């Protein structure tokens, strides 16, 4: 999947949801028309990504950020410097268990944060000021037993 965005942030949202999970994908940031930008993973978001978390690789500023969108307003909650080259591919993985969020790039721990704002929502992809390509994107829900009770069906019997 590829996302193009020049002057604003674009989102592609999945119909899949989760609370505690591992979510990862390979992200390639491609320079377009002289622009270097960002691409990343969206999680625990609403259907329009106006509320939820975003992990971004930002090649223009050489940083990895963990942000949260609240009513469409973006707030940075963590950042770590990392040299990011356009046309290089990076494996980005998010582990979320309750309010504990961990971000890895190429299996290296980059960000670890506790945040209680969002505990469940949709998965998605994002791009800003660039063309971002996404490959091998997958998630594995690891929600505990109690959180999965809503998927059960009532059955009568002895």
């Amino acid at each position: 999947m590829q996302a193009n965005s020049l002057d604003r942030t674009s989102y592609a949202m999945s119909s899949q949801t989760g609370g505690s999970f591992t979510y990862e994908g390979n992200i390639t940031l491609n320079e377009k028309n002289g622009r270097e930008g960002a691409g990343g993973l969206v999680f625990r978001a609403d259907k329009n990504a106006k509320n939820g978390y975003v992990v971004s690789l930002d090649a223009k500023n050489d940083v990895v950020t963990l942000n949260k969108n609240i009513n469409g307003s973006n707030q940075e909650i963590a950042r770590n410097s990392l040299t990011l080259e356009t046309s290089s591919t990076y494996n980005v993985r998010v582990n979320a268990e309750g309010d504990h969020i961990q971000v890895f790039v190429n299996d290296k721990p980059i960000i670890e944060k506790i945040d209680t704002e969002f505990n469940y929502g949709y998965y998605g992809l994002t791009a800003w000021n660039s063309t971002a390509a996404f490959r091998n994107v997958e998630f594995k829900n690891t929600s505990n037993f109690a959180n999965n009770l809503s998927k059960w069906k009532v059955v009568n019997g002895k």
Side-chain angles (χ1 to χ4, degrees):
M1 178 179 275
Q2 182 169 296
N4 295 309
S5 175
L6 294 181
D7 296 322
R8 62 180 184 210
T9 304
S10 11
Y11 297 97
M13 300 301 293
S14 168
S15 61
Q16 300 296 314
T17 58
S20 293
F21 54 82
T22 297
Y23 179 32
E24 71 179 303
N26 296 327
I27 301 173
T28 306
L29 302 174
N30 298 307
E31 188 174 343
K32 185 170 185 169
N33 300 325
R35 296 176 182 232
E36 289 182 296
L41 303 177
V42 179
F43 57 97
R44 292 183 177 170
D46 59 20
K47 289 182 180 183
N48 299 317
K50 289 187 183 270
N51 295 286
Y53 295 107
V54 179
V55 169
S56 289
L57 299 180
D58 184 341
K60 181 178 182 179
N61 298 301
D62 283 329
V63 295
V64 177
T65 59
L66 174 61
N67 304 292
K68 60 183 168 184
N69 293 340
I70 299 177
N71 297 321
S73 178
N74 186 280
Q75 296 178 11
E76 184 178 291
I77 56 177
R79 106 178 352 230
N80 202 337
S81 296
L82 184 67
T83 301
L84 299 165
E85 301 292 333
T86 54
S87 300
S88 293
T89 300
Y90 300 92
N91 177 267
V92 178
R93 184 176 81 239
V94 176
N95 293 343
E97 186 67 42
D99 58 6
H100 186 216
I101 301 168
Q102 297 173 294
V103 178
F104 300 82
V105 176
N106 294 339
D107 291 323
K108 178 183 173 190
I110 300 294
I111 293 173
E112 187 167 358
K113 191 72 177 170
I114 301 292
D115 195 272
T116 59
E117 191 79 34
F118 306 108
N119 61 14
Y120 192 85
Y122 293 91
Y123 300 101
L125 306 171
T126 185
W128 170 80
N129 204 36
S130 71
T131 300
F134 301 89
R135 290 180 185 83
N136 305 314
V137 177
E138 57 188 31
F139 56 89
K140 179 181 175 189
N141 281 322
T142 59
S143 296
N144 65 30
F145 181 78
N147 288 344
N148 288 328
L149 290 176
S150 64
K151 307 254 186 224
W152 289 35
K153 178 181 173 184
V154 175
V155 177
N156 292 323
K158 290 187 175 186

